[in-house]
Amino acid sequence: MRKERHQKEKMIGKSLRIIPLGGLGEVGKNMMAYEYDEDIILVDTGIMFPENDMLGVDYIIPDFKYLLDKVDRVKGIFITHGHEDHIGAIHHVMEAINAPIYATPLTRGLLENKLARNGLSQKTVVHTVNAGEKVKVGHFTVEFFHVCHSIPDGVGFGIECPAGLVVHSGDYKFDHTPVDNWPSDYAKLAEFSRRGVLALLSDSTNAERPGWTPSERVIDDAFNKVFREAQGRIIIASFASLISRMQQVANAARAHGRKMAFAGPSMQDNMKIARKLGFLDIDDTLVVPIDQALTMKDREVVIMCTGSQGEPTSILGRLSTGTNRLFDIKPGDTVVLSSHPIPGNEENVYRTINRLFERQANVIYEAIAPVHVSGHASQEEMKLLLHLTQPKFFIPVHGELRQLKQHAKLAREVGIPEENIAVVENGQVIELTADAMQLDEKIPNSYVFVDGSSVGELEADVMRDRESLAQDGVVVVNVILDRMSGRLFREPDINSKGFIGEKDSDALMDQVRKRIAEVVPYSNGSVTQDVERAVRDVLYAETHRKPTVFVSVSKV
């Protein structure tokens, strides 16, 4: 007893360090580190989808270099729920950090599937923790509390250490009629308030949206309308981890006499995991293999697939271009995009919708029918969470800077003093004691691109080169010199791709050849560099564009 009291006295005055490694100043790749004394815990390890100008990038993961010399201090990784922006980078993190993972049953199932696909299941310890239970690791005690989101079994965390109690909301909304009949744990949030909340870190995704986010139940009526009116096949695209949407589609299929099929390995795997764990109530008689579904009458089947974000390589993306191997769009198919475009994906989504219309499908999406509702709290719910928890300090998380700023404004409106609010972006360390909050150093934090099997090897200059190639194309010049005289042996060969139309090309390339012929005899240094500079000058002078120029010089 005396030893414990001495240890507690020793900790008085130490601060809790909160280090955002992803998810602040952006949408996606959520990852937060909490550090007290020598102990570190992590919350979530998500990915972010690439923006339109990030050519060739599959996805982006958090920059967790800060942890690499501290891996022995990481006591646990706590996961709020099973969406990709919270679990997608787990195998990248686990390759570097050997720490136990703590997650609710459904989230654990999704994590284990992802770890197994990447050969890490035998090297990783995953613990099941139910909402309402606590885990103690080092100086931290983490209490799981249930929140509603667009996937079942989501939680937030009450994180307690000697500095105080921090509430980390995770992604949440206050849905009074959730599909799984399990509302957010208001009582636990109020209990945290009675214990005294040092700081609240809360999801800011919908901070610009007034009012309340509609209940998931509103989708039931929209789906019933789709199923009543569709004469042909119904194809519904959503995230593979959107388990509650699978249940709603299953309910509609059962009510309207259709069989249900799942297309794509991720959709099939997640469905099986959710059914096995009891989070999906779907009879065996309702589900048929996709091969069987394709032989059935069109009006008797509904197919769920991925691709609601317009990803070109997803099933829906390939259906829109006619390149899907297993089946194609038929005239009369009804396609439902049951999701909201992630910021940056709007162009891909609308391009996919247009292509589906071109292929004579009837396309239904959020802008024209309530086939999707957000899983995130709107402004009134954000205010309610602030009132329920009554935090001393407030840190908005999960959102672009404009959303974080708006969330901070809402916090001021409900009485949180401005000096007690910290709007920060990735890498900015926040220090908390029982009495004060201050900003500490800012650690380096950048995008870590995943490009095939390459992780973090894409430098900024490579991305700039890719963008330049995409915008202005490439010009390849092959110069052959006479070995004895150093003069042109023959007229240079010039090829271009993505730079200029064929009808305008001949006259311009004649100018380029003429300029090369003028430069070569007077080149005192590198012929390659002189020719490249001359070609760039001519091309820019005539077109005001800057294609990537490659020059090859050989001698005969």
Side-chain angles (χ1 to χ4, degrees), residues 18-33:
I18 301 176
I19 305 129
L21 301 174
L24 273 72
E26 62 194 4
V27 174
K29 69 180 178 72
N30 299 292
M31 187 174 184
M32 188 73 70

Side-chain angles (χ1 to χ4, degrees), residues 67-277:
L67 301 170
L68 295 183
D69 61 351
K70 306 174 183 67
V71 293
D72 57 325
R73 293 170 52 193
V74 179
K75 304 303 180 184
I77 301 174
F78 294 81
I79 306 296
T80 58
H81 64 282
H83 281 154
E84 287 294 299
D85 57 333
H86 292 258
I87 70 168
I90 189 66
H91 59 286
H92 298 289
V93 174
M94 297 313 298
E95 286 171 351
I97 301 172
N98 184 21
I101 300 171
Y102 300 89
T104 55
L106 177 60
T107 306
R108 174 180 179 166
L110 298 174
L111 282 166
E112 288 181 330
N113 185 55
K114 187 173 290 290
L115 291 166
R117 288 204 307 267
N118 290 278
L120 291 169
S121 56
Q122 301 302 315
K123 304 175 184 177
T124 308
V125 177
V126 187
H127 297 287
T128 299
V129 185
N130 289 294
E133 295 178 347
K134 297 180 182 179
V135 175
K136 182 167 176 54
V137 290
H139 293 304
F140 293 96
T141 300
V142 181
E143 188 165 359
F144 286 50
F145 64 91
H146 180 69
V147 293
C148 286
H149 188 40
S150 50
I151 184 173
D153 223 13
V155 291
F157 301 128
I159 302 171
E160 195 155 21
C161 70
L165 170 64
V166 173
V167 175
H168 187 112
S169 76
D171 287 353
Y172 78 98
K173 70 177 185 179
F174 291 135
D175 189 342
H176 303 308
T177 56
V179 174
D180 60 2
N181 297 312
W182 192 2
S184 297
D185 195 343
Y186 301 93
K188 178 56 67 178
L189 293 167
E191 182 197 320
F192 287 149
S193 177
R194 290 193 295 271
R195 285 157 50 183
V197 174
L198 176 64
L200 169 67
L201 282 74
S202 181
D203 173 26
S204 306
T205 304
N206 280 350
E208 298 168 318
R209 185 177 295 182
W212 296 74
T213 301
S215 170
E216 294 281 323
R217 294 281 184 186
V218 304
I219 297 173
D220 291 341
D221 289 341
F223 277 179
N224 280 322
K225 185 175 187 294
V226 169
F227 276 71
R228 275 197 313 271
E229 296 178 356
Q231 298 300 309
R233 295 183 304 185
I234 300 174
I235 300 170
I236 297 182
S238 82
F239 292 114
S241 56
L242 197 47
I243 307 299
S244 59
R245 203 58 41 84
M246 293 182 189
Q247 185 65 64
Q248 290 175 294
V249 173
N251 294 343
R254 187 184 298 115
H256 294 272
R258 289 183 183 247
K259 299 295 184 182
M260 186 178 186
F262 294 86
S266 59
M267 188 71 77
Q268 292 171 353
D269 288 349
N270 291 353
M271 178 271 293
K272 291 173 184 176
I273 292 167
R275 288 185 72 192
K276 180 179 178 181
L277 294 171

Side-chain angles (χ1 to χ4, degrees), residues 285-319:
T285 57
L286 186 67
V287 179
V288 297
I290 184 65
D291 292 342
Q292 180 181 336
L294 297 176
T295 65
M296 298 170 62
K297 294 179 180 178
D298 291 350
R299 64 178 181 274
E300 294 177 353
V301 67
V302 55
I303 299 170
M304 284 204 77
C305 67
T306 56
S308 60
Q309 293 302 307
E311 308 96 306
T313 59
S314 67
I315 289 177
L316 193 67
R318 294 197 301 266
L319 285 172

Side-chain angles (χ1 to χ4, degrees), residues 111 123 184 205 230 249 282 342 357 376 476 499 503:
L111 282 166
K123 304 175 184 177
S184 297
T205 304
V249 173
I282 302 179
I342 293 172
F357 274 124
H376 301 268
V476 179
F499 168 58
K503 66 179 182 178

Side-chain angles (χ1 to χ4, degrees), residues 15-20 24 32-35 199-201 393-397 420-425 427-433 436-443:
S15 62
L16 169 66
R17 285 164 56 86
I18 301 176
I19 305 129
L24 273 72
M32 188 73 70
Y34 291 87
E35 183 175 357
L200 169 67
L201 282 74
F393 301 109
F394 176 61
I395 304 165
V397 297
N420 286 13
I421 301 171
V423 176
V424 301
E425 296 183 88
Q428 177 61 66
V429 179
I430 302 169
E431 285 204 351
L432 286 173
T433 65
M437 174 175 66
Q438 65 178 18
L439 303 186
D440 201 355
E441 83 271 22
K442 187 164 186 179
I443 64 172

Side-chain angles (χ1 to χ4, degrees), residues 55 57 65 446-449 451 454-467:
L55 303 169
V57 175
K65 288 194 294 288
S446 59
Y447 281 160
V448 178
F449 298 116
D451 180 6
S454 165
V455 180
E457 296 175 11
L458 281 179
E459 302 292 341
D461 57 343
V462 176
M463 295 305 299
R464 284 195 295 271
D465 286 346
R466 289 184 178 183
E467 186 176 355

